[in-house]
Amino acid sequence: MEILMAFVIGILFMSATYLMLSKSLLRIIVGTGLLSHGAHLLILTMGGLKRGSAPLLGEHADNYTDPLPQALILTAIVISFGVTAFFLVLAYRAYQELGTDNVEEMKGTEPND
Amino acid sequence: MTNLIVLPILIPLLTGAILIFLNKKIVAQRIVAVFSSILTMIAALFIVQKVHNEGIQSLNISSWEAPFGITLVSDMLSALLILTTSIIAFCCLLYSFKSIGEEREKHYYYSVFNFLLVGVNGAFTTGDIFNLFVFFEVMLMSSYVLLVLGGTKIQLRESIKYLLVNVISSALFVIAVAFLYSVVGTLTMAHISERVSQISADGMPGILTVIAVMFLIVFGLKGAIFPLYFWMPGSYYAPPAPVLALFGALLTKVGVYSITRTYTLFFYHDKGFAFQLLSILAILSIVVGVIGAIAYWDVKKIIIYNIIVAVGVILYGVSVMNPASIKGAVYYLIHDMIIKAALFFLVGIIINLTGSANLKKMSGLIGRYPGVGWTFFIASLALAGIPPLSGFVGKLLIVQGGFEGKSFFGAAIVLMSSLLVLFSVMKIFINGFWGQNQTYEGEEKAPVKWLLIAPVILVAISALYGVNSEAILPYIAQAADTLVDPQIYIEAVLKE
Amino acid sequence: MKKTNNIILETSLKALLFFIVLYSVYIFTAGHYYPGGGFIGGLMTAGAIVLLLITYDIKTVQRILPVNYRIITAIGLLLAIGTSASSLLFHVPFLTHRFTHVELPVLGEISLHTATLFDLGVYFVVVGVTMTIIQTIGEDE
C-alpha cells in the first residue's frame, strides 16, 4: 500500500510541477492545489497506513491507529483551502487590473536604478 | 500567572478581531491598536523578567502533558524577540497613522497588522514543529493581505510572485515535517531533539541530514538566504514604508529564528554537513547582499539588500556554533530588527519628501531636515557596527566566535562586509542629504515631524542597547546558553 | 441581471435548502464524538447559501439574508477567542476545556462541552470567510 501511495504522491507532485511551470495563472493555482494534496497524502503515508482499529484505546491497547497525521492533514487542508481561495481572488483582481493572466507579462518593468 | 506566555499571542488576536467591527471608525481603531500594542509590550517585559529569574517557561495548551499536546515554550531568545517585536510594532503603528492613508485604514489595515503579530509572536513562542507551520501560515496570510492592500499594479503583480513562492515553501514545510514525523514519531520540539540524539548516537543518519537541508530550504526562503533570496528585492519593493519596515524587520527574522531553533535543537549532531552548508550559504548571502547594496542607486533596494547581508551575518554566527558566536548572533539579531525598522522608516520619509526612491534625483535634504539627516546618520553607523552603537558588540562577538572556531575566512568576510555596508548607506547620506539644496513637489505636505518620532525612538533604543551592553549581556548569555546546550531546553519542557 | 428560466433548480431548492441547512446543523452538533464539527458544518451552510446564490442573484440573496459576512467572521473569531481565553480566569492552561453530562427530559443523557462554543466560533468564521470570498469574486460583473 505504501508503495502505491508513493507513486500517487509522485504523480501528484509531477503534475503540480508541470502545471506551475506553465504561463497561465489559473494553471499555476491548480498546480499549487495539487502540490498541497500531494503533501497531505505524504503526511498520511508517513504516519504509517493501518486500518481497522480506533485511534486510541487506553494505555494498554494492543492495536491502534495513529490519530496525529489525520489531525495534521485537517489543519493543512484548512490552511491550503484558505490560501487557494485567497490566491484565486488575487489572480482575479490582478487579471482585472493588469489585463492579463500570463505571468510572462507580469515581469517587473520599473527601472532598477 | 499560568497563562503569561500566551498573552503576546492572545492580545493581538483579540485586538484584530475587535478591530474588524470598527473598520469605519479610524480614530477608534488607532486608539485600540496602540493600547493593545502597549499591553503586549508590558506582557513581553514581564515574560523576559520571569524567564530571567525562573528559567524557561512552558505552557501545555489544553492541559495535555508535554510530548502529547502542543506546548508553548518561552526561553530567553523567544522572550527577547517578542519584546523587540512588540516595540517595533508600537513604532510602526505610530508611523502608520500619518503615512498609510485612510483608504487602507478603512480596509482592515490595523486588523491584519495585529494578525501578523499573532503569527510572528506565535512562531517565536511555539514549542511544536507543526504549530510553527500553523503560525507561519497565519503570518504569511496576513503578509499577503498587507502586501496587496491598496491594490496598485505593482503590488498585485509582486503579490502573486510572493504568494506562489510561499505556497511552494509551505508545501515543502509540510513535506519536511512529514519526513521528520516518520523518523522520530513526535512533533514536540524538545521531544524531537531527544529522539534525534538517541538515533544519532554514532553519527546522524542520512535521512536526518536530508530533513535538515529541507528545513534550511523552507526557512531560508522566508529568511532570504543566498540562493533563495531572489523573490525578496521585487516583493519588498512594492508595499508602503510601514509595511516594508514590518516585513524587513520581522518576517525575514522569523525565518532566521526558525533556522537557529531547528539547527541548534535538532541537527547539532551533524556539524560535518548541515552546519557546513549553512556556513557557506551564510557567507555567500553576505557577499551577494553587499554587492546588491552597493550596486543599486535606489534607496529602498539598498536597504533591502542590507537585509540579506544581516541574515548572512547572523546565520554565520549560528553556523560556527560556539558560545561566543551564538551570543553574537542573538545580540545581532535583535539589533538588526530594531535598526532595519528604523532605516525603513527613514527611507520612507525620504521617499515621502522627494517623491522618488532614486538617489540621483535627490540632494541637499539636510539643510531643511537636519533631524532626518542626523537620525539617518546614526542609524547608518549602528547598522555598520561602529562602536559604541549596538551593531558593534554583536559583530565583535560573532567575529570572536569565528576566530575561536578556526573559521578565519568567514570572520574576515563578516569584517569586510561592515565596511561595504557602511559605504552603501553612506551613499544614501552623501547623495541624498549633502549637495545642492533642491525643493520638491508636495514636500510641505509630508508630516515629517510626526513620522520622525518612530525612527528616533528606535535609534535611541539601538544606541542604549549598544551603550548598555554590559547590563544586557547576561540576558543574551542566558539565551545563548539554551541554544548551545539543548539539554536545558529539553528538561524545561519535558520536566524530567 | 436577466431572468433565466431555471424552474427546476428553483423548485427543488425550496425543498432542498432546509434539508441542507438542517443537516449542516446536525453535522455541527455531532462533532467531537462522531465525524463532524464546526468546519464541515460551516462549509455545508455556506454551500447552501451558494446554492441560493446560483439559483437567484446576489441582490436577491442580499435581500433574503441581509447580513455582512465580515461581521459574522468577526463574531465567530470573538466567540472562539473568548471561549479559549476564559481559561485565563480559571488559572488553567490556555484552551483547556471542560465538559459535563446532564440528564434531559426528552433527549436523555447529553454531554455538554465548552469546546462546542469554540466550535460555534469556527462555524461562524467558516461561513463568514467562505461567503466573503465568493461574494468578492461574484460581485462585479
Side-chain angles (χ1 to χ4, degrees), chain B residues 223-361:
Chain B
I225 61 172
F226 162 63
L228 309 166
Y229 69 91
F230 57 88
W231 55 272
M232 200 177 77
S235 299
Y236 279 21
Y237 196 80
V243 177
L244 176 58
L246 211 56
F247 282 16
L250 301 181
L251 292 202
T252 48
K253 301 305 181 292
V254 176
V256 172
Y257 163 82
S258 308
I259 292 179
T260 315
R261 180 61 82 207
T262 48
Y263 270 62
T264 55
L265 197 58
F266 305 161
F267 306 121
Y268 58 96
H269 306 279
D270 191 8
K271 290 267 163 48
F273 185 80
F275 273 81
Q276 205 64 41
L277 182 68
L278 182 62
S279 159
I280 293 167
L281 292 183
I283 291 170
L284 282 172
S285 309
I286 300 176
V287 173
V288 170
V290 160
I291 292 173
I294 292 174
Y296 278 101
W297 280 85
D298 182 307
V299 281
K300 262 190 189 175
K301 282 259 158 82
I302 292 174
I303 310 292
I304 290 171
Y305 272 97
N306 266 311
I307 298 178
I308 303 174
V309 182
V311 167
V313 171
I314 298 162
L315 287 181
Y316 172 72
V318 174
S319 75
V320 174
M321 188 75 186
N322 58 31
S325 78
I326 294 274
K327 245 199 301 194
V330 174
Y331 197 97
Y332 199 80
L333 178 58
I334 293 164
H335 146 80
D336 193 66
M337 286 168 83
I338 297 172
I339 210 71
K340 280 283 145 58
L343 277 172
F344 279 121
F345 288 146
L346 288 163
V347 162
I349 297 177
I350 295 174
I351 294 173
N352 209 333
L353 282 174
T354 61
S356 150
N358 191 338
L359 262 184
K360 286 177 179 156
K361 287 190 190 150

Side-chain angles (χ1 to χ4, degrees), chain A residues 46 66 106 110 112-113, chain B residues 157 161 179 181 296 301:
Chain A
M46 283 308 203
D66 189 357
M106 289 187 193
E110 281 76 24
N112 273 332
D113 53 350
Chain B
R157 210 182 55 213
K161 296 172 198 164
F179 276 129
Y181 183 70
Y296 278 101
K301 282 259 158 82

Side-chain angles (χ1 to χ4, degrees), chain C residues 12-133:
Chain C
S12 50
L13 178 81
K14 278 167 197 157
L16 271 178
L17 192 68
F18 290 99
F19 285 109
I20 300 177
V21 173
L22 215 60
Y23 191 65
S24 81
V25 172
Y26 164 72
I27 283 275
F28 165 68
T29 47
H32 207 77
Y33 287 129
Y34 297 98
F39 183 71
I40 318 177
L43 271 185
M44 203 170 269
T45 311
I49 305 175
V50 171
L51 195 61
L52 210 59
L53 271 175
I54 292 172
T55 318
Y56 302 103
D57 57 317
I58 231 165
K59 286 204 189 87
T60 321
V61 175
Q62 197 58 48
R63 214 175 52 238
I64 302 169
L65 293 168
V67 282
N68 181 352
Y69 291 106
R70 287 170 199 177
I71 298 295
I72 298 259
T73 314
I75 291 171
L77 263 179
L78 275 187
L79 203 59
I81 299 166
T83 325
S84 45
S86 63
S87 56
L88 261 70
L89 298 176
F90 299 104
H91 293 284
V92 286
F94 190 64
L95 276 172
T96 303
H97 93 289
R98 286 268 171 278
F99 62 95
T100 175
H101 294 272
V102 286
E103 206 59 62
L104 285 183
V106 187
L107 300 163
E109 193 188 333
I110 272 191
S111 57
L112 291 179
H113 291 250
T114 53
T116 313
L117 287 173
F118 183 86
D119 233 22
L120 191 63
V122 174
Y123 178 90
F124 280 133
V125 171
V126 171
V127 173
V129 168
T130 317
M131 291 318 295
T132 311
I133 291 164

